[in-house]
Amino acid sequence: MKTIFISTGEVSGDLQGALLVTALRRLADKLGIDLEIVALGGRKMAAAGAKIIADTTGISSMGMWEALAYLRPSWQVRSLAKKYLKTTPPDVVILIDYIVSNIELGNYISQQLTNIPIFYYIAPQEWVWSIGNKKSDAIVKFTNKIFAIFPEEAKYYADRGAKVKFVGHPLIDRVATLSSRDIARDKLGIADEEVAIALIPASRRQELKYLLPAIFGAAQQLQAKLPNVRFWIPLSRDEFRSEIECAIDSYQIKATLITQNADLVLSAADLAITKCGTVSLELALLNIPQVVIYRVSRVTAWLAKNVFKFAIPYISPPNLVEMRSIVPELMQDDANPDRITAASLELILNRECRDRMLADYRQMRMALGESGVCDRVAAEILANI
């Protein structure tokens, strides 16, 4: 029996982890390797065949102030993980994003369990967010190899001395398995004349507070301007259901909350108004025009601007791939119903604007590598055990 330990967090990490677990198990079966995968993750990874020792999909935040509420549960998960690693050392450790927890675990393993190889798959976006070099240097020091999914990510870590391999983005393979637009619209019962807008407000608790009011406020305005519009909301976490349903009633928008086969919404939409994150890249690869919004608390925004002098050129994955503006990004005070509505109408009613975004999507796709990403990563990892 060979054992792989995977550590990741958040809804997007659970998705990426599940794709990798599936590839690892498939290749292990082909090679005749008796493989057990133990993980910090969520239900998608569990469904793919991993043994989950702690669910980390709900222990996530964006912003310094917002993270305070998760300090204790995050510490408890890391303590549990260290105990498992010490008593049941795996053959390989794979870290996926999840910067604070994974840096601590990486340091612990490299110091206490020195014979275990550590691979970072989807390293933290220090090439975008970094304030100083401390975290980047730690990652380079304890990691045997980084499997990079963005070209700029590969360059950043290689320049700092890491052994890096650019493998391409795993969402290329994932979107190939999703339903086509016509099939998705048929399954959801969307008529040809209907303007279907996907509303994607939250995968983190704080996003319900900071993003949902702005997105639903824009939906109200769009509903008043577009007679054939209907909104579709894919549910990212079951515990958000009641709050989103209440918001639908409160804002009186014609919206359907999809809890099963939620990916159909991504394929079927004419437009998406979405939080910033992995889902934004999924939409781009599915050729869905989108408006991306990002908001954190005023305290975090003030600290970032005035104390840490924090400035980044772009924040959404489609724009980060080539470091240029492909999709509109509305941040903080600009992420308000009026601005979201205006950007959305531009993409719905202005064919030239829409076509330009779709052309940029095609260009962006060329920079994301070839298909078979998870299979290539799985092959290299299994070669080490």
Side-chain angles (χ1 to χ4, degrees):
M1 171 74 73
K2 299 295 183 180
T3 303
I4 293 176
F5 180 83
I6 301 177
S7 173
T8 189
E10 305 184 325
V11 171
S12 60
D14 185 36
L15 169 61
Q16 304 291 12
L19 296 174
L20 183 58
V21 168
T22 299
L24 285 166
R25 289 174 59 84
R26 180 174 60 245
L27 185 55
D29 287 343
K30 184 178 179 180
L31 296 174
I33 298 173
D34 188 8
L35 182 65
E36 180 180 45
I37 300 175
V38 181
L40 304 179
R43 57 186 176 87
K44 285 186 172 66
M45 291 179 71
K51 176 184 175 183
I52 305 299
I53 62 172
D55 191 328
T56 54
T57 55
I59 310 174
S60 61
S61 65
M62 294 189 74
M64 294 161 280
W65 180 260
E66 293 83 350
L68 293 177
Y70 299 100
L71 289 179
R72 181 173 177 79
S74 294
W75 175 82
Q76 290 173 330
V77 166
R78 290 195 295 271
S79 296
L80 177 66
K82 289 176 185 178
K83 183 178 179 180
Y84 169 83
L85 290 165
K86 184 176 182 180
T87 57
T88 319
D91 295 283
V92 170
V93 169
I94 305 169
L95 307 178
I96 301 176
D97 201 358
Y98 205 34
I99 182 167
V100 174
S101 290
N102 277 346
I103 286 180
E104 183 172 327
L105 288 178
N107 284 328
Y108 173 80
I109 295 164
S110 66
Q111 294 166 12
Q112 303 295 324
L113 305 164
T114 55
N115 293 325
I116 300 176
I118 302 172
F119 297 99
Y120 225 127
Y121 171 54
I122 312 179
Q125 291 185 344
E126 286 291 281
W127 49 283
V128 180
W129 304 96
S130 180
I131 303 174
N133 297 317
K134 185 177 180 180
K135 292 177 181 177
S136 300
D137 291 343
I139 291 168
V140 171
K141 185 177 180 180
F142 66 65
T143 304
N144 293 76
K145 194 170 189 177
I146 293 174
F147 297 110
I149 64 171
F150 290 104
E152 284 295 321
E153 173 194 352
K155 182 178 184 301
Y156 175 88
Y157 285 106
D159 287 347
R160 280 154 182 79
K163 186 176 181 181
V164 180
K165 181 174 183 178
F166 172 65
V167 294
H169 205 291
L171 288 185
I172 293 170
D173 297 324
R174 170 173 158 75
V175 297
T177 69
L178 300 183
S179 299
S180 68
R181 171 184 166 83
D182 290 343
I183 291 174
R185 289 176 77 93
D186 182 63
K187 288 182 177 180
L188 293 174
I190 300 174
D192 291 342
E193 66 275 10
E194 180 180 310
V195 178
I197 298 180
L199 305 180
I200 308 173
S203 62
R204 302 176 178 91
R205 171 64 58 181
Q206 79 210 51
E207 289 169 334
L208 290 177
K209 177 180 180 181
Y210 296 123
L211 302 186
L212 187 147
I215 291 176
F216 278 38
Q220 269 188 330
Q221 295 187 26
L222 290 167
Q223 186 169 275
K225 297 175 183 292
L226 301 171
N228 295 329
V229 73
R230 185 170 183 86
F231 304 100
W232 299 83
I233 307 169
L235 185 66
S236 61
R237 289 169 56 185
D238 292 337
E239 58 265 37
F240 293 172
R241 180 201 297 261
S242 62
E243 290 178 65
I244 294 176
E245 288 176 339
C246 287
I248 291 171
D249 291 337
S250 176
Y251 284 84
Q252 296 185 321
I253 58 175
K254 295 181 290 184
T256 301
L257 183 62
I258 301 296
T259 59
Q260 300 293 326
N261 298 319
D263 290 335
L264 291 172
V265 176
L266 305 186
S267 300
D270 296 296
L271 174 79
I273 303 172
T274 179
K275 68 181 219 64
C276 183
T278 300
V279 67
S280 179
L281 189 57
E282 284 186 86
L283 291 163
L285 292 172
L286 288 166
N287 290 318
I288 307 300
Q290 61 184 295
V291 177
V292 177
I293 73 169
Y294 179 87
R295 294 185 74 173
V296 291
S297 71
R298 292 193 178 277
V299 173
T300 292
W302 186 89
L303 288 171
K305 180 179 179 181
N306 297 287
V307 176
F308 297 102
K309 308 300 181 183
F310 190 58
I312 56 174
Y314 302 106
I315 196 169
S316 62
N319 293 347
L320 289 172
V321 172
E322 295 194 328
M323 286 296 181
R324 64 187 180 93
S325 180
I326 295 176
V327 302
E329 299 176 349
L330 300 176
M331 298 175 63
Q332 286 306 109
D333 291 340
D334 287 337
N336 61 65
D338 291 345
R339 292 289 301 273
I340 296 170
T341 299
S344 299
L345 288 174
E346 181 77 0
L347 286 168
I348 292 171
L349 302 177
N350 186 331
R351 182 64 179 267
E352 183 180 345
C353 179
R354 188 183 185 93
D355 287 347
R356 183 166 58 250
M357 182 178 289
L358 296 180
D360 286 342
Y361 280 170
R362 290 191 290 273
Q363 182 69 32
M364 177 210 71
R365 166 64 183 83
M366 294 174 64
L368 290 177
E370 301 298 324
S371 59
V373 174
C374 288
D375 288 344
R376 290 195 292 274
V377 175
E380 288 217 27
I381 290 168
L382 290 177
N384 282 269
I385 60 173

